[in-house]
Amino acid sequence: MKIAVLGTGVVGRTLGARLAELGHAVTIGTRSPEATLARTEPGAMGTEPFADWAAANPGITLASYAGAASGAELIVNATNGSASLDVLAQAGRENLDGKVILDIANPLDFSHGMPPTLFVKDTDSLGEQIQREFAGARVVKSLNTLNADLMARPGTLPGSSTVFVSGNDADAKHTVTGLLKDFGHEDVIDLGDISTARGTEMLLPVWLRLWGALGTPAFNFKIIR
């Protein structure tokens, strides 16, 4: 499958590399490919300069948001939640229409320091905002309740855990669930339409406090039934 991953941070890199390993044709989308490749300083969370990462992953290409999205069959929104709507607009509405958008972003507000709050909750969600703004796309919320390493390789935990999908389009959810299974996720729960993304996004305050209590982000939720 031709997949565009929008975002050059640790999440975009981790998922892009895993998707390429699984045989997909991956293009990473960024605001300015030239500027991204020219950076020499470490990125967020100590990530290596993108050019170094790209050299170690030669099968993955880099393009503008619009360039990445235009040729993709599926688009992964791996951007900071506060920038997601702007980035997707730069990708181009015409490049999103009819396509599956796997939205893994969270509506985290860092304006008042740590821990962050949510800039949308209860009566709306970032997933819903994306679906409303880009009505021709087929948005599926998933993978936002665990860290990047476990998104891509859940088997590193000693036992199976649970991930969720939310979306209005059954076929789109089926496509995303297939990718999740390929990653190694064994327990995927379909919560229903895109409004159910409110629930998974509102898990983030609990997730962040668990990280603080456990001293590691290497954990996930398990729904026992």
Side-chain angles (χ1 to χ4, degrees):
M1 193 186 313
K2 295 179 180 178
I3 298 179
V5 178
L6 306 184
T8 59
V10 63
V11 177
R13 296 183 193 193
T14 301
L15 288 184
R18 181 71 166 127
L19 288 163
E21 178 185 310
L22 292 169
H24 300 283
V26 177
T27 300
I28 301 285
T30 186
R31 190 179 304 273
S32 168
E34 295 78 12
T36 296
L37 289 171
R39 294 190 192 108
T40 58
E41 71 281 0
M45 300 179 69
T47 54
E48 63 186 330
F50 188 86
D52 294 345
W53 180 86
N57 294 271
I60 296 175
T61 57
L62 184 69
S64 67
Y65 293 131
S70 63
E73 298 166 86
L74 181 143
I75 297 161
V76 180
N77 175 34
T79 64
N80 184 307
S82 62
S84 291
L85 290 172
D86 177 59
V87 167
L88 289 166
Q90 290 185 55
R93 194 177 305 274
E94 68 281 6
N95 295 324
L96 306 180
D97 283 351
K99 296 179 182 177
V100 178
I101 298 178
L102 168 54
D103 173 35
I104 62 178
N106 280 304
L108 298 177
D109 179 0
F110 293 92
S111 63
H112 300 290
M114 293 291 288
T117 57
L118 302 179
F119 62 75
V120 58
K121 58 184 178 180
D122 300 324
T123 59
D124 200 3
S125 65
L126 178 59
E128 289 172 88
Q129 290 183 350
I130 293 171
Q131 184 63 85
R132 284 197 303 271
E133 182 65 22
F134 304 98
R138 298 181 290 158
V139 179
V140 179
K141 190 83 182 191
S142 190
L143 292 180
N144 67 301
T145 56
L146 65 172
N147 78 343
D149 289 339
L150 292 178
M151 290 179 191
R153 299 183 186 277
T156 58
L157 288 177
S160 67
S161 56
T162 304
V163 290
F164 310 95
V165 293
S166 300
N168 297 339
D169 188 286
D171 289 339
K173 287 191 286 188
H174 178 75
T175 297
V176 168
T177 297
L179 281 180
L180 299 179
K181 298 282 189 179
D182 289 344
F183 286 162
H185 294 282
E186 298 176 351
D187 186 27
V188 182
I189 298 178
D190 183 347
L191 295 177
D193 66 29
I194 194 62
S195 70
T196 62
R198 300 174 193 179
T200 53
E201 291 180 6
M202 286 192 291
L203 279 175
L204 262 293
V206 176
W207 188 92
L208 288 162
R209 284 153 180 80
L210 280 168
W211 182 358
L214 299 174
T216 176
F219 65 87
N220 192 23
F221 300 100
K222 171 65 178 176
I223 307 303
I224 299 177
R225 71 264 196 207

